[in-house]
Amino acid sequence: QVLLIDSGGGLVQAGASLRLSCVASGGTVSSYAMGWFRQAPGKERQFVARVSPGSGTTLYADSVKGRFTISRDNAKNLAYLQMNSLKPEDTVVYYCATSPRYGLTYANANEYDYWGQGTQVTVSS
């Protein structure tokens, strides 16, 4: 059973940066897809970014493209989400996730099997 712990959220001003981290334990996730999602209260979990297994290709939601960067350190079972030029509308809870399945887009929450507990990001204007 893979356990993910995400961290790095906080309160920042608009235009600032944050780096979220996600560490996996209980299994090696180097061959898994890693993704970041975010969710506002009462709304569905929204795709933010993912890095695929194998080739390590990345995909971003249009709303974060050019501002956020997803990366991974397979040796340490870590994934990161570097968030630059933060906006007040980025204020939500962020979740990391991992999927051992292959051949998916990894842009949908139902394609992931393991989730972190979430970390709150608050951006003040």
Side-chain angles (χ1 to χ4, degrees):
Q1 184 77 5
V2 174
L3 176 65
L4 301 179
I5 299 177
D6 39 35
S7 62
L11 170 63
V12 297
Q13 291 188 328
S17 298
L18 280 174
R19 189 177 78 159
L20 305 183
S21 299
C22 175
V23 61
S25 61
T28 301
V29 298
S30 58
S31 61
Y32 294 4
M34 298 294 296
W36 287 95
F37 289 74
R38 60 188 184 185
Q39 188 171 24
K43 295 191 176 182
E44 292 187 354
R45 201 159 286 190
Q46 179 188 43
F47 170 74
V48 175
R50 64 88 166 135
V51 53
S52 64
S55 63
T57 56
T58 56
L59 180 69
Y60 297 92
D62 288 343
S63 58
V64 306
K65 201 173 295 183
R67 299 188 298 124
F68 291 10
T69 302
I70 187 171
S71 61
R72 65 192 303 167
D73 184 337
N74 288 332
K76 297 181 179 179
N77 263 4
L78 276 164
Y80 302 100
L81 185 68
Q82 177 67 41
M83 305 186 296
N84 299 329
S85 303
L86 282 161
K87 304 175 181 180
E89 50 264 43
D90 295 319
T91 296
V92 282
V93 178
Y94 287 74
Y95 298 87
C96 69
T98 189
S99 173
R101 292 177 267 173
Y102 279 84
L104 305 176
T105 65
Y106 308 109
N108 301 289
N110 61 11
E111 294 176 331
Y112 290 82
D113 297 294
Y114 304 103
W115 292 86
Q117 81 286 359
T119 184
Q120 174 71 45
V121 171
T122 303
V123 184
S124 63
S125 57

